[in-house]
Amino acid sequence: MGSLVKIAVRNLLRYKRRTLLTASLIAIGVIFVLVFVAVTGSFKAMMIAQNTDAMLGHLQVHRKGYVASIDNLPLNLNLMGGAIARLEKVLDAQPEIAAYSPRIKFGAMFSTFTETTNIRLNGVEPERELATVPLLAGRVLEGDKTLVRGKLWLPELLAKGMKVKVGDTVVIVATNKDGSVNGKPMVVSAILESATGPGGRDGYLHSEDAAEILRLEGREVSEVAIRLKGFDQLDAVSARLDTLLAKELNQMQKPIFELHTWEKLSPFFNIAKMIDVMTFFIKLMLIAIVLVSIMNVMIMAVYERIREIGTMAAIGTLPGKVLGLFLLEGFSLGVAGAISGGVLGTALVWVLNISHISYDFGRQKGLILQATVDPKELLMISLIVIAGAVLASLQPAFKASRMDPIKALRHL
Amino acid sequence: MALVTATGLEKTYIIGEVRVEAIRGVDFTIEPGAFVSFVGPSGSGKSTLLNMIGCLDKPTSGSLSVAGTEVASLDRREGARFRGETLGFIFQDFNLLPVLSVYENIEYPLLMVLETPASERRDRVMTLLKAVGMEKQQKQYPDQISGGQKQRVAVARALITNPKLVLADEPTANLDHQTAYKVIELMKTMRDESGTTFIFSTHDPKVVGEAETIYTLEDGKLMNHGKGGQNHG
């Protein structure tokens, strides 16, 4: 095997310029795919993180039927005390769950005494909310990053539109599920950066203030957002929770809860999927580049070395070894392209990162590109290239191994 | 027992609609240790005959036994194995592998065909390098040595597996007379030392006389069979 590798490598080095050109072409393909995957991966990761870590959480549990009406924020579909306790018991037993945050979501009227508009509000337990969506505090553009009773975090667009500043007193007026209206004066303690995505333009207040405004008599929750210790555990935990929550039935023997991952709740999941589809097609293009370039080189190599192949066969080299030699040449070209492309691609990603390239996402301006090369992705791209190289060499190698020695020796 | 026995040997090619009878009813025997030459003009069937003896081609009819094996019975893989274990080849154009050094070219059949252990390979290669006088050039590549030196390397490569028979198709065609004579002398010396049978084809009358047995071919037929050994430099 070692001797075959030696001969294969020397054969490649025989035509240095051609080998260099082919390996360069493959390397450019690898660099392109690697940088594309790293940059889109960074964008995708940022988008997912913005959605999950600043607003949604990784998973959400609602009362059955709530999500179908989520745009109305229906108070009559809140989870009540007993159901909440049963839910918390299930969630507390899951070791993968890092935190969860009960929310009271409702629509209200927002008044500055001179102007009035609508607002969507989340009544939260601040510590639990920040543990579940840790990037929420980072959205505070100005004001106090600690949410306390009587204070309101207001989305930036609404604050600008209503000309409200930190420290201003406003009134929140809401209708509870019985139809009675209640209002409460509150002080704006922070202006929140408006984020792109569901809940990105909601205001926040303490859950006790929400309960007071809505005149809740017992404990009520619209949704429970869940954060996992690892994002990669999402599918496994989601499947398990789905099974466990399906067993929690009401008096009618119907399921109480419904569970959704962020993917089902955010339209950005479709963008993430689109990025995956684009990545897939880019990888297909890479395979095409590898197949065409390697096959071209190997067909040329076989054609140029017909007499050598004839000599090898005449002196007793078995067809399998001739086949192996040409496959190794293709394999070596693939390895050279994959390694050089991998190294250069990683270096280029590093250069992109130190260049601090900024971009906008929705209303978020000046986000810094944080492209990362996933070792698994790098390995996968390398394997695709190498497998493609071997595949492309197969036909020329097979042709070489089946060559009639006499015809080959006569070839001019 | 004869090393090569041909009986009623025929080889016919169909090229398009033309039927070419390259070998027509040839009978001969070659004894072990012989130094034999097939001579004849271009197109007389020398190469075809050597290709059949070398298991590179199969007869259309008749029988051809080499080292006790009926060559027509061998399939592609068996033929390759048989060639590697029993035969050695010397080509008109030397056919050294350009990416291998002199040493590696000689070593190639042991390494890639017989898979001989490294220490044994080294001993045998060094012995043959000395025998063909190419010790000093062992690290050089084929494009760095002369035609005569290339053919010396080819002789060594043909003998490295201790074959029963070495076939040389026009081994001196690309060499000047002096070098050609030296190569034939080398082949003869190697035959004397190793007892390996040598069969070579040529149309060069100056080297024909070096053969001990001469078969003359004309239009695919064996015309006569005589003793050689007249030329001595």
Side-chain angles (χ1 to χ4, degrees), chain A residues 127-275:
Chain A
E127 280 183 15
R128 296 179 77 177
E129 181 69 10
L130 289 174
T132 306
V133 283
L135 294 184
L136 178 62
R139 286 175 55 205
V140 173
L141 295 173
E142 58 176 300
D144 191 356
K145 291 193 176 183
T146 312
L147 184 62
V148 292
R149 282 213 65 181
K151 305 288 183 184
L152 183 70
W153 282 2
L154 203 59
E156 182 191 9
L157 280 178
L158 197 139
K160 274 187 181 170
M162 298 293 285
K163 299 177 187 70
V164 174
K165 296 186 293 296
V166 172
D168 288 354
T169 299
V170 296
V171 177
I172 298 296
V173 180
T175 307
N176 72 4
K177 63 183 168 188
D178 299 326
S180 59
V181 178
N182 190 29
K184 180 176 167 66
M186 301 197 72
V187 175
V188 175
S189 67
I191 304 294
L192 277 182
E193 179 188 35
S194 295
T196 309
R201 292 175 192 181
D202 289 2
Y204 285 81
L205 72 170
H206 199 285
S207 59
E208 289 174 13
D209 290 330
E212 187 187 329
I213 293 168
L214 295 172
R215 290 180 176 164
L216 302 180
E217 287 169 3
R219 196 175 174 211
E220 282 189 34
V221 163
S222 309
E223 74 184 18
V224 176
I226 299 165
R227 179 175 182 77
L228 301 177
K229 288 175 181 165
F231 187 71
D232 54 346
Q233 298 166 322
L234 184 66
D235 290 340
V237 177
S238 166
R240 192 188 326 136
L241 274 180
D242 229 3
T243 311
L244 291 171
L245 294 178
K247 292 176 188 164
E248 300 293 336
L249 305 174
N250 60 19
Q251 288 170 342
M252 311 282 286
Q253 296 303 302
K254 297 272 175 67
I256 303 171
F257 305 108
E258 59 184 16
L259 175 79
H260 294 93
T261 62
W262 77 273
E263 297 159 350
K264 302 277 167 49
L265 298 165
S266 170
F268 287 99
F269 175 65
N270 293 328
I271 297 176
K273 289 299 280 182
M274 214 159 69
I275 290 172

Side-chain angles (χ1 to χ4, degrees), chain B residues 129-164:
Chain B
L129 271 169
K130 276 182 204 164
V132 300
M134 290 296 291
E135 260 179 303
K136 286 181 184 170
Q137 292 85 4
Q138 61 174 291
K139 288 184 180 169
Q140 290 184 296
Y141 284 82
D143 61 356
Q144 297 169 322
I145 58 177
S146 68
Q149 287 174 323
K150 283 179 194 170
Q151 205 58 306
R152 285 171 171 272
V153 176
V155 170
R157 182 179 67 184
L159 287 165
I160 192 74
T161 56
N162 289 331
K164 290 180 177 161

Side-chain angles (χ1 to χ4, degrees), chain A residues 3-4 6-7 10-11 14 307-321 400-406 409-410, chain B residues 13 48 51 56-57 76-77 80-81 83-84 89 91 93 95-101 104 107-109 111-113 115 141 157:
Chain A
S3 311
L4 269 184
K6 181 178 75 179
I7 297 172
R10 285 192 193 173
N11 275 323
R14 220 164 133 181
R307 292 194 72 176
E308 272 177 58
I309 295 164
T311 305
M312 289 164 72
I315 62 182
T317 310
L318 292 175
K321 284 203 172 156
S401 72
R402 301 290 300 168
M403 213 170 266
D404 178 359
I406 295 180
L409 285 168
R410 280 192 198 131
Chain B
Y13 295 108
T48 304
N51 284 340
L56 295 169
D57 205 354
R76 186 183 184 80
R77 196 179 162 79
R81 203 176 287 282
R83 288 194 299 273
F89 288 87
F91 303 95
D93 295 320
N95 290 21
L96 299 180
L97 298 176
V99 294
L100 301 182
S101 66
E104 289 164 340
E107 188 190 31
Y108 180 90
L111 187 65
M112 302 297 288
V113 180
E115 296 175 352
Y141 284 82
R157 182 179 67 184

